[in-house]
Amino acid sequence: MAGWRENVREVEPYVAGEQPKQTDMVKLNTNENPYPPSPKVQEALERTAANILRLYPDPTADELVTAIADRYNVIKSQVFVGVGSDDVIAMAFLTFFNNPEKKPVLFPDISYSFYDVWAECFRIPYKTVPLNENFEICTEDYRQPNGGIIFPNPNAPTGLAIGLDAIKEILDANPDQVVIVDEAYVDFGTDSAISLLDNYENLLVVQTFSKSRSMAGMRIGFAIGNEELISCLMNVRNSFNSYTMNCTAIAMGAAAVRDEEYFRETTQKIIETREWAKKELTALGFTYPDSKANFIFASHKSVAAEEIFRKLRERHIYVRYFNKPRINNYLRITIGTREEMQKLFDALKEILGAYNGECQ
Amino acid sequence: MAGWRENVREVEPYVAGEQPKQTDMVKLNTNENPYPPSPKVQEALERTAANILRLYPDPTADELVTAIADRYNVIKSQVFVGVGSDDVIAMAFLTFFNNPEKKPVLFPDISYSFYDVWAECFRIPYKTVPLNENFEICTEDYRQPNGGIIFPNPNAPTGLAIGLDAIKEILDANPDQVVIVDEAYVDFGTDSAISLLDNYENLLVVQTFSKSRSMAGMRIGFAIGNEELISCLMNVRNSFNSYTMNCTAIAMGAAAVRDEEYFRETTQKIIETREWAKKELTALGFTYPDSKANFIFASHKSVAAEEIFRKLRERHIYVRYFNKPRINNYLRITIGTREEMQKLFDALKEILGAYNGECQ
């Protein structure tokens, strides 16, 4: 056996949600937005001439950074953009989680499943902090020696959010560590920690265009923090790849973030559909944490989640099932359009009805 | 001073070529292609509906991978795509250069300036191997203990290429290490090492769409190797970011690589312009290694490179100058259109004429 195999980095690859391609499917498995991006994105796309592609993109992604800074009332040097929030958070792990004493980075045991994957890949020690029995983040658990902290707010896949006071407690207890709040789902009804930035120099807030801005396909994420944190991130990013954002991502992203009205309208529609979906799920015998995200994490009182998952799949309705400790009786259901949710509920009635011995 | 600063990764950031934005400029400083991408790319752009952006892109980038596999007569599982060849090579460093004995990765002392940046960022030991006095790679220098090898062919910024026999010598001497041939500039007249893949399982060939396919702005690079190498790369990439290629990059890249005729036509035009430019430069008193790339690395017999660089810049003609040992009297001049090169030569005549005391 050739020796080069011994030099290969061993990793536990992340397994993403399946991306089925049926035309008649109801796709509620990867937390995408059921509405198209802002019409301004279509216009920006139509304005794009292929000829600009021959030149390198603007490495500062100035058009996009300016639009984000304007929207969030920060200055441009407080904004870092990347290829989805996955790229942004990976760079943040690489940049900020290098404590010489090898103290572990902390994150919840039930959380976004990429955190441990990045830690493994970059050989960063980590420790998962159990959520309580109600799947809540308890701030006192983050008062232990650590090399950095990251958690999503609202958390995934539970959908539960914590308030700014709880975030402040975590920040106050950890002034010597960078604390990353991953706000992928914040726009569906949670207060952003961006408002805390003036008081906490160790806070980094990460958001994405994949959910509330309907642009998962364009791969845009961003971080907002103080200028020093952002400059550290940029140095590491530039030592990795100076041109990560392509021309179209810069232009389409800027067009999307400038259309505040469309953003409010579509996020509001999703919030309304979610609240209606909660009632429907309750009526069907499901329980769930009170989600503030664009998904609901639901468990049925009598039928196993894996069974429901399979039966939905047979009907080309895709939701997400994680075969992992503590959560293997839950389904993560993305909020689609009202019509898509109705199809889901109709199918659930059929599936659950069969278990109750009812006639169909 | 807050302790989080002690945990920040220290890096030497890569400094990219400047990206000036004058409208009247002649931009010969970052090895971009003077011709637009294939007309098929414009068509693909016009076919793109913003609505597809709401969904995650195909994580396998199948359309693009298929087009590349077809073009290079390999199977799809031999192809890895990334956000420019920078992303591909960074992933390859992370994946393959982990030898437990910490033997150094080897690359030429004069070479693409990102190699040492990646090594530093990922804390990979490395050793630069001096080119000979004619700026040539000497294969015997790569017969020393190492943890992997990477070199561009043709090399940058010299433009000099080595033949397949020389590459075979390096591969034969290093069966236990992954050898990466960075073929960013191969399409301007060098034989690709892809033809050696059937005989060397430790060979990884990297190419980019930024030069010969006129798509620097779209950020597309790829690696071709045996299935096992490619699968290792994918595992590491998936533990980093499963969705690096956005929808537009996948579609535009596939459209570009399928248009073989346009590719041949434009690369041939650049080769012809390069050969003509060599004669003009000789007539002006420049010497240069015999470039096989889309640039010429030239030094003037009597006027300092930095001086010429500055005077060209005053005239809004941008070339690249590296203030580094061994090469600080050279200019790297990208091959533009014939008209752009003529403007360069006219300016050089003026600048050099002034030094010779000639009338303008």
Side-chain angles (χ1 to χ4, degrees), chain A residues 225-238:
Chain A
N226 74 63
E227 288 185 270
E228 192 184 348
L229 282 187
I230 296 301
S231 139
C232 294
L233 263 180
M234 287 201 185
N235 285 344
V236 170
R237 198 274 312 270
N238 287 338

Side-chain angles (χ1 to χ4, degrees), chain B residues 54-194:
Chain B
R54 74 175 187 85
L55 298 177
Y56 279 96
D58 170 9
T60 68
D62 190 62
E63 185 187 0
L64 177 58
V65 165
T66 302
I68 293 171
D70 287 351
R71 165 63 175 77
Y72 292 96
N73 287 309
V74 295
I75 56 175
K76 289 199 281 182
S77 48
Q78 287 187 272
V79 179
F80 174 87
V81 292
V83 182
S85 57
D86 285 346
D87 179 43
V88 174
I89 301 173
M91 289 296 153
F93 267 62
L94 205 55
T95 306
F96 300 117
F97 294 163
N98 292 288
N99 76 96
E101 295 112 64
K102 304 271 176 198
K103 285 183 286 190
V105 168
L106 304 181
F107 46 83
D109 64 335
I110 297 166
S111 195
Y112 184 40
S113 38
F114 243 121
Y115 299 151
D116 52 348
V117 175
W118 286 313
E120 303 271 4
C121 179
F122 301 136
R123 297 171 187 161
I124 295 166
Y126 67 94
K127 181 175 165 184
T128 58
V129 181
L131 299 177
N132 73 12
E133 71 280 12
N134 298 321
F135 287 155
E136 292 159 339
I137 288 177
C138 302
T139 57
E140 57 269 31
D141 295 338
Y142 292 84
R143 295 176 181 279
Q144 55 177 304
N146 68 75
I149 292 171
I150 182 166
F151 58 88
N153 193 41
N155 195 9
T158 66
L160 286 178
I162 60 175
L164 294 182
D165 284 345
I167 294 176
K168 278 192 212 171
E169 275 178 48
I170 293 175
L171 286 161
D172 284 326
N174 296 281
D176 286 341
Q177 307 304 337
V178 171
V179 176
I180 303 175
V181 185
D182 176 358
E183 296 189 340
Y185 302 103
V186 77
D187 294 322
F188 304 105
T190 302
D191 289 335
S192 171
I194 291 174

Side-chain angles (χ1 to χ4, degrees), chain B residues 80-304:
Chain B
F80 174 87
V81 292
V83 182
S85 57
D86 285 346
D87 179 43
V88 174
I89 301 173
M91 289 296 153
F93 267 62
L94 205 55
T95 306
F96 300 117
F97 294 163
N98 292 288
N99 76 96
E101 295 112 64
K102 304 271 176 198
K103 285 183 286 190
V105 168
L106 304 181
F107 46 83
D109 64 335
I110 297 166
S111 195
Y112 184 40
S113 38
F114 243 121
Y115 299 151
D116 52 348
V117 175
W118 286 313
E120 303 271 4
C121 179
F122 301 136
R123 297 171 187 161
I124 295 166
Y126 67 94
K127 181 175 165 184
T128 58
V129 181
L131 299 177
N132 73 12
E133 71 280 12
N134 298 321
F135 287 155
E136 292 159 339
I137 288 177
C138 302
T139 57
E140 57 269 31
D141 295 338
Y142 292 84
R143 295 176 181 279
Q144 55 177 304
N146 68 75
I149 292 171
I150 182 166
F151 58 88
N153 193 41
N155 195 9
T158 66
L160 286 178
I162 60 175
L164 294 182
D165 284 345
I167 294 176
K168 278 192 212 171
E169 275 178 48
I170 293 175
L171 286 161
D172 284 326
N174 296 281
D176 286 341
Q177 307 304 337
V178 171
V179 176
I180 303 175
V181 185
D182 176 358
E183 296 189 340
Y185 302 103
V186 77
D187 294 322
F188 304 105
T190 302
D191 289 335
S192 171
I194 291 174
S195 64
L196 303 179
L197 281 173
D198 286 342
N199 298 313
Y200 295 94
E201 63 169 29
N202 59 327
L203 168 63
L204 189 77
V205 179
V206 178
Q207 294 195 7
T208 175
F209 280 47
S210 299
K211 316 297 178 185
S212 55
R213 299 192 187 275
S214 305
M215 288 176 78
M218 201 43 111
R219 315 307 299 127
I220 306 171
F222 62 96
I224 298 185
N226 74 65
E227 289 183 88
E228 192 183 348
L229 282 188
I230 296 302
S231 139
C232 294
L233 263 180
M234 286 198 185
N235 285 344
V236 171
R237 197 273 314 269
N238 286 339
S239 74
F240 199 93
N241 190 347
S242 297
Y243 300 96
T244 55
M245 307 302 288
N246 69 26
C247 292
T248 50
I250 293 171
M252 307 304 126
V257 79
R258 287 194 211 110
D259 192 352
E260 184 65 17
E261 194 184 326
Y262 183 84
F263 167 79
R264 284 186 200 276
E265 204 180 286
T266 48
T267 49
Q268 192 51 42
K269 274 204 277 189
I270 290 168
I271 291 169
E272 283 162 19
T273 308
R274 177 186 69 206
E275 296 309 313
W276 162 71
K278 283 177 184 171
K279 289 186 200 129
E280 295 288 314
L281 286 170
T282 303
L284 286 163
F286 285 92
T287 54
Y288 43 82
D290 191 26
S291 171
K292 295 287 180 196
N294 70 337
F295 56 82
I296 298 172
F297 198 51
S299 183
H300 194 262
K301 61 181 180 187
S302 52
V303 185

